[in-house]
Amino acid sequence: MSNSISNMNQVFDKLKDLKTIFKLGEKVIPIIQNLIQFMGEIVPLLETINKSISDSTQKIPQATNQINDVTSATELATTEILDLVDETSNQLMEVDKVIGEIKERDKQANEKFDELVNKLNGDETLVKLINEYKELKDNGSNIDSISETMQKINDNSYKITLSLQVQDITSQQLSAVNHLIESVNDKLTTMVQEIDHSDIKQDFEHISASIPQGVSFDANAKYDPGHDRQDKVDEIVSENQEKATQEDIDKLFS
Amino acid sequence: MKKVILVADDSPTIRKFVSFALTMRGFEVVAASDGMEAIEYLPSKKFDLIITDLNMPNLDGFELIKSVRENEEYSEIPIIILSSLAGSDDIEKGMSYGANSYLVKPFDPKRIQYEVAKYLN
């Protein structure tokens, strides 16, 4: 008898639990219905987003290739310009050598003129004639002017060399952009793979493989043709060297 | 006899710039595209000086300096760092690894000629 009462109590307890669940269900069911409706609306939207991400990501290799093409083109152009600057500098050096020879010959010619004047025994007409001829032959000021111009060309070659280094800096900045694109691509790949493991995954595997790897760059590379950066570096280097000397002194006295 | 300088930089244009600046001063330049290639070149010639970038694939400049300084045969070769990195951490690290000078990119050709001459002339 007591067993039957106990069993009945258990049944009542279970019924109470069931009633609680039903009450909860009454509250939850509309939420679930709303959720189902929401899912019904969101799934096509997600598919659209998914497709859009897939389409965009397929364009990433194109973007990275274009960036690489720009780098290669500027690299080639820079090398060509530098070759020309190199050639110009070599030609300037040759001209400079020739000018040196001309100056030496002029010096020798002047010595000969002086010898000649001394041997004319004061014949004023001849001395005057010889001096006029010497003045006409004297190219000293012209040669100095040519040397000055050559020095300016040489200085400009240096400046061109300095300016052309912008190519190296931009190529590092472009590599940093490529690296950023690669990171975005990785994130997108992971995201889309989680949404859909079917055909899109294959697309992404293909895309990931086509992005160049192992490129080294400084994302903070700056083109600053002034001396400020080098001055700061020199300051740090000299500070370091001073520190090292002090440490050495400390060691000696320890 | 011409002094020989080993230049390690992954940028072809920088290799060209450095070669341009130094060959016109009568130095012979051998160029390597990264630290690993530079190490491979070391036994091939008697190098009088090394100029190295820091950011390089395969083996970076820090590791190159470390390898050179750890090798008895090459440990006395002067090393000049030529890098776009200009932070005090990089400079201090480079110098502590055993570099002799630190030049920042873009560099003044006259300055690099001066630094090289400081050790070789």
mmCIF file of all heavy atoms in Angstrom, chain A residues 25-52:
data_model
loop_
_atom_site.group_PDB
_atom_site.id
_atom_site.type_symbol
_atom_site.label_atom_id
_atom_site.label_comp_id
_atom_site.label_asym_id
_atom_site.label_seq_id
_atom_site.Cartn_x
_atom_site.Cartn_y
_atom_site.Cartn_z
ATOM 1 N N GLY A 25 7.319 25.519 -22.637
ATOM 2 C CA GLY A 25 7.150 25.308 -24.074
ATOM 3 C C GLY A 25 6.263 26.373 -24.676
ATOM 4 O O GLY A 25 6.541 26.886 -25.763
ATOM 5 N N GLU A 26 5.158 26.695 -23.949
ATOM 6 C CA GLU A 26 4.231 27.726 -24.459
ATOM 7 C C GLU A 26 4.977 29.050 -24.692
ATOM 8 O O GLU A 26 4.690 29.786 -25.615
ATOM 9 C CB GLU A 26 3.099 27.945 -23.453
ATOM 10 C CG GLU A 26 1.961 26.956 -23.614
ATOM 11 C CD GLU A 26 0.936 27.092 -22.478
ATOM 12 O OE1 GLU A 26 0.922 28.163 -21.830
ATOM 13 O OE2 GLU A 26 0.207 26.118 -22.235
ATOM 14 N N LYS A 27 5.931 29.309 -23.761
ATOM 15 C CA LYS A 27 6.685 30.565 -23.899
ATOM 16 C C LYS A 27 7.738 30.465 -24.995
ATOM 17 O O LYS A 27 7.999 31.412 -25.737
ATOM 18 C CB LYS A 27 7.381 30.922 -22.570
ATOM 19 C CG LYS A 27 6.441 31.425 -21.515
ATOM 20 C CD LYS A 27 7.199 31.692 -20.233
ATOM 21 C CE LYS A 27 6.227 32.044 -19.098
ATOM 22 N NZ LYS A 27 6.889 32.062 -17.797
ATOM 23 N N VAL A 28 8.360 29.274 -25.076
ATOM 24 C CA VAL A 28 9.514 29.118 -25.986
ATOM 25 C C VAL A 28 9.080 28.936 -27.436
ATOM 26 O O VAL A 28 9.737 29.442 -28.347
ATOM 27 C CB VAL A 28 10.405 27.931 -25.516
ATOM 28 C CG1 VAL A 28 11.385 27.500 -26.594
ATOM 29 C CG2 VAL A 28 11.139 28.294 -24.245
ATOM 30 N N ILE A 29 7.945 28.234 -27.623
ATOM 31 C CA ILE A 29 7.523 27.896 -28.998
ATOM 32 C C ILE A 29 7.430 29.137 -29.904
ATOM 33 O O ILE A 29 7.971 29.134 -31.017
ATOM 34 C CB ILE A 29 6.226 27.067 -29.000
ATOM 35 C CG1 ILE A 29 6.612 25.615 -28.669
ATOM 36 C CG2 ILE A 29 5.524 27.098 -30.371
ATOM 37 C CD1 ILE A 29 5.435 24.728 -28.336
ATOM 38 N N PRO A 30 6.814 30.244 -29.436
ATOM 39 C CA PRO A 30 6.789 31.424 -30.336
ATOM 40 C C PRO A 30 8.192 31.923 -30.679
ATOM 41 O O PRO A 30 8.450 32.332 -31.816
ATOM 42 C CB PRO A 30 6.049 32.481 -29.501
ATOM 43 C CG PRO A 30 5.338 31.747 -28.442
ATOM 44 C CD PRO A 30 6.090 30.492 -28.182
ATOM 45 N N ILE A 31 9.069 31.814 -29.662
ATOM 46 C CA ILE A 31 10.450 32.262 -29.943
ATOM 47 C C ILE A 31 11.075 31.370 -31.006
ATOM 48 O O ILE A 31 11.709 31.846 -31.957
ATOM 49 C CB ILE A 31 11.300 32.240 -28.643
ATOM 50 C CG1 ILE A 31 10.738 33.243 -27.623
ATOM 51 C CG2 ILE A 31 12.770 32.562 -28.935
ATOM 52 C CD1 ILE A 31 11.328 33.154 -26.245
ATOM 53 N N ILE A 32 10.870 30.035 -30.836
ATOM 54 C CA ILE A 32 11.439 29.091 -31.827
ATOM 55 C C ILE A 32 10.838 29.357 -33.206
ATOM 56 O O ILE A 32 11.552 29.353 -34.214
ATOM 57 C CB ILE A 32 11.210 27.628 -31.380
ATOM 58 C CG1 ILE A 32 12.073 27.335 -30.134
ATOM 59 C CG2 ILE A 32 11.546 26.641 -32.504
ATOM 60 C CD1 ILE A 32 11.814 26.009 -29.485
ATOM 61 N N GLN A 33 9.502 29.629 -33.201
ATOM 62 C CA GLN A 33 8.853 29.913 -34.497
ATOM 63 C C GLN A 33 9.482 31.151 -35.150
ATOM 64 O O GLN A 33 9.776 31.148 -36.346
ATOM 65 C CB GLN A 33 7.348 30.142 -34.271
ATOM 66 C CG GLN A 33 6.584 28.836 -34.187
ATOM 67 C CD GLN A 33 5.108 29.064 -33.839
ATOM 68 O OE1 GLN A 33 4.732 30.101 -33.289
ATOM 69 N NE2 GLN A 33 4.294 28.060 -34.140
ATOM 70 N N ASN A 34 9.713 32.167 -34.306
ATOM 71 C CA ASN A 34 10.359 33.391 -34.831
ATOM 72 C C ASN A 34 11.761 33.090 -35.348
ATOM 73 O O ASN A 34 12.181 33.601 -36.389
ATOM 74 C CB ASN A 34 10.451 34.448 -33.732
ATOM 75 C CG ASN A 34 9.129 35.140 -33.509
ATOM 76 O OD1 ASN A 34 8.253 35.101 -34.368
ATOM 77 N ND2 ASN A 34 8.976 35.748 -32.348
ATOM 78 N N LEU A 35 12.454 32.239 -34.566
ATOM 79 C CA LEU A 35 13.820 31.873 -34.948
ATOM 80 C C LEU A 35 13.846 31.136 -36.284
ATOM 81 O O LEU A 35 14.665 31.420 -37.160
ATOM 82 C CB LEU A 35 14.434 30.993 -33.838
ATOM 83 C CG LEU A 35 15.929 30.837 -33.855
ATOM 84 C CD1 LEU A 35 16.620 32.169 -33.624
ATOM 85 C CD2 LEU A 35 16.373 29.834 -32.783
ATOM 86 N N ILE A 36 12.852 30.210 -36.437
ATOM 87 C CA ILE A 36 12.770 29.450 -37.697
ATOM 88 C C ILE A 36 12.485 30.403 -38.853
ATOM 89 O O ILE A 36 13.105 30.324 -39.916
ATOM 90 C CB ILE A 36 11.701 28.341 -37.597
ATOM 91 C CG1 ILE A 36 12.206 27.226 -36.658
ATOM 92 C CG2 ILE A 36 11.369 27.758 -38.976
ATOM 93 C CD1 ILE A 36 11.161 26.228 -36.235
ATOM 94 N N GLN A 37 11.576 31.335 -38.584
ATOM 95 C CA GLN A 37 11.241 32.310 -39.631
ATOM 96 C C GLN A 37 12.482 33.152 -39.984
ATOM 97 O O GLN A 37 12.782 33.383 -41.158
ATOM 98 C CB GLN A 37 10.122 33.219 -39.126
ATOM 99 C CG GLN A 37 9.461 33.999 -40.266
ATOM 100 C CD GLN A 37 8.449 35.005 -39.716
ATOM 101 O OE1 GLN A 37 7.975 34.884 -38.577
ATOM 102 N NE2 GLN A 37 8.128 35.983 -40.541
ATOM 103 N N PHE A 38 13.190 33.550 -38.905
ATOM 104 C CA PHE A 38 14.410 34.358 -39.096
ATOM 105 C C PHE A 38 15.461 33.583 -39.913
ATOM 106 O O PHE A 38 16.050 34.109 -40.851
ATOM 107 C CB PHE A 38 14.980 34.744 -37.713
ATOM 108 C CG PHE A 38 16.314 35.416 -37.772
ATOM 109 C CD1 PHE A 38 16.438 36.735 -38.214
ATOM 110 C CD2 PHE A 38 17.459 34.734 -37.396
ATOM 111 C CE1 PHE A 38 17.662 37.350 -38.275
ATOM 112 C CE2 PHE A 38 18.698 35.345 -37.460
ATOM 113 C CZ PHE A 38 18.802 36.653 -37.899
ATOM 114 N N MET A 39 15.600 32.278 -39.551
ATOM 115 C CA MET A 39 16.571 31.435 -40.266
ATOM 116 C C MET A 39 16.189 31.307 -41.738
ATOM 117 O O MET A 39 17.046 31.330 -42.622
ATOM 118 C CB MET A 39 16.662 30.046 -39.632
ATOM 119 C CG MET A 39 17.321 30.024 -38.256
ATOM 120 S SD MET A 39 19.008 30.588 -38.299
ATOM 121 C CE MET A 39 19.797 29.148 -38.954
ATOM 122 N N GLY A 40 14.849 31.147 -41.934
ATOM 123 C CA GLY A 40 14.360 31.028 -43.311
ATOM 124 C C GLY A 40 14.728 32.254 -44.131
ATOM 125 O O GLY A 40 15.025 32.166 -45.325
ATOM 126 N N GLU A 41 14.716 33.414 -43.469
ATOM 127 C CA GLU A 41 15.053 34.644 -44.193
ATOM 128 C C GLU A 41 16.559 34.843 -44.311
ATOM 129 O O GLU A 41 17.058 35.352 -45.312
ATOM 130 C CB GLU A 41 14.436 35.856 -43.463
ATOM 131 C CG GLU A 41 12.944 35.942 -43.631
ATOM 132 C CD GLU A 41 12.307 36.902 -42.636
ATOM 133 O OE1 GLU A 41 13.058 37.609 -41.935
ATOM 134 O OE2 GLU A 41 11.066 36.946 -42.561
ATOM 135 N N ILE A 42 17.274 34.432 -43.245
ATOM 136 C CA ILE A 42 18.716 34.723 -43.207
ATOM 137 C C ILE A 42 19.547 33.777 -44.085
ATOM 138 O O ILE A 42 20.572 34.176 -44.628
ATOM 139 C CB ILE A 42 19.233 34.725 -41.727
ATOM 140 C CG1 ILE A 42 20.508 35.572 -41.601
ATOM 141 C CG2 ILE A 42 19.531 33.340 -41.221
ATOM 142 C CD1 ILE A 42 20.253 37.030 -41.574
ATOM 143 N N VAL A 43 19.074 32.528 -44.247
ATOM 144 C CA VAL A 43 19.872 31.555 -44.995
ATOM 145 C C VAL A 43 20.152 32.009 -46.434
ATOM 146 O O VAL A 43 21.303 32.000 -46.880
ATOM 147 C CB VAL A 43 19.254 30.136 -44.912
ATOM 148 C CG1 VAL A 43 19.826 29.217 -45.983
ATOM 149 C CG2 VAL A 43 19.499 29.552 -43.529
ATOM 150 N N PRO A 44 19.097 32.454 -47.173
ATOM 151 C CA PRO A 44 19.410 32.943 -48.535
ATOM 152 C C PRO A 44 20.394 34.125 -48.511
ATOM 153 O O PRO A 44 21.271 34.225 -49.363
ATOM 154 C CB PRO A 44 18.061 33.395 -49.076
ATOM 155 C CG PRO A 44 17.042 32.786 -48.204
ATOM 156 C CD PRO A 44 17.678 32.541 -46.875
ATOM 157 N N LEU A 45 20.217 34.963 -47.457
ATOM 158 C CA LEU A 45 21.116 36.116 -47.329
ATOM 159 C C LEU A 45 22.556 35.643 -47.090
ATOM 160 O O LEU A 45 23.502 36.147 -47.711
ATOM 161 C CB LEU A 45 20.638 36.992 -46.160
ATOM 162 C CG LEU A 45 21.290 38.358 -46.042
ATOM 163 C CD1 LEU A 45 20.990 39.229 -47.239
ATOM 164 C CD2 LEU A 45 20.818 39.047 -44.758
ATOM 165 N N LEU A 46 22.680 34.633 -46.212
ATOM 166 C CA LEU A 46 24.016 34.075 -45.935
ATOM 167 C C LEU A 46 24.644 33.474 -47.185
ATOM 168 O O LEU A 46 25.826 33.613 -47.444
ATOM 169 C CB LEU A 46 23.925 32.998 -44.845
ATOM 170 C CG LEU A 46 23.883 33.488 -43.398
ATOM 171 C CD1 LEU A 46 23.672 32.328 -42.454
ATOM 172 C CD2 LEU A 46 25.178 34.203 -43.028
ATOM 173 N N GLU A 47 23.763 32.810 -47.965
ATOM 174 C CA GLU A 47 24.272 32.215 -49.212
ATOM 175 C C GLU A 47 24.780 33.295 -50.156
ATOM 176 O O GLU A 47 25.808 33.144 -50.806
ATOM 177 C CB GLU A 47 23.175 31.387 -49.875
ATOM 178 C CG GLU A 47 23.055 29.999 -49.263
ATOM 179 C CD GLU A 47 21.847 29.233 -49.768
ATOM 180 O OE1 GLU A 47 21.121 29.744 -50.650
ATOM 181 O OE2 GLU A 47 21.622 28.116 -49.262
ATOM 182 N N THR A 48 24.019 34.407 -50.193
ATOM 183 C CA THR A 48 24.438 35.531 -51.054
ATOM 184 C C THR A 48 25.784 36.078 -50.579
ATOM 185 O O THR A 48 26.689 36.331 -51.374
ATOM 186 C CB THR A 48 23.379 36.662 -51.022
ATOM 187 O OG1 THR A 48 22.114 36.080 -51.238
ATOM 188 C CG2 THR A 48 23.664 37.717 -52.063
ATOM 189 N N ILE A 49 25.877 36.252 -49.225
ATOM 190 C CA ILE A 49 27.136 36.779 -48.656
ATOM 191 C C ILE A 49 28.280 35.819 -48.977
ATOM 192 O O ILE A 49 29.363 36.216 -49.403
ATOM 193 C CB ILE A 49 27.007 36.987 -47.125
ATOM 194 C CG1 ILE A 49 26.025 38.127 -46.834
ATOM 195 C CG2 ILE A 49 28.346 37.267 -46.487
ATOM 196 C CD1 ILE A 49 25.620 38.243 -45.386
ATOM 197 N N ASN A 50 27.978 34.539 -48.789
ATOM 198 C CA ASN A 50 28.975 33.495 -49.039
ATOM 199 C C ASN A 50 29.482 33.557 -50.479
ATOM 200 O O ASN A 50 30.683 33.535 -50.754
ATOM 201 C CB ASN A 50 28.311 32.144 -48.744
ATOM 202 C CG ASN A 50 29.332 31.063 -48.543
ATOM 203 O OD1 ASN A 50 30.518 31.344 -48.512
ATOM 204 N ND2 ASN A 50 28.883 29.842 -48.394
ATOM 205 N N LYS A 51 28.524 33.669 -51.394
ATOM 206 C CA LYS A 51 28.857 33.723 -52.819
ATOM 207 C C LYS A 51 29.682 34.985 -53.104
ATOM 208 O O LYS A 51 30.671 34.944 -53.842
ATOM 209 C CB LYS A 51 27.543 33.738 -53.624
ATOM 210 C CG LYS A 51 27.683 33.839 -55.123
ATOM 211 C CD LYS A 51 27.960 32.472 -55.711
ATOM 212 C CE LYS A 51 27.953 32.452 -57.222
ATOM 213 N NZ LYS A 51 28.889 33.340 -57.838
ATOM 214 N N SER A 52 29.236 36.083 -52.473
ATOM 215 C CA SER A 52 29.924 37.359 -52.678
ATOM 216 C C SER A 52 31.363 37.284 -52.176
ATOM 217 O O SER A 52 32.307 37.741 -52.842
ATOM 218 C CB SER A 52 29.144 38.450 -51.958
ATOM 219 O OG SER A 52 29.867 39.624 -51.978
#
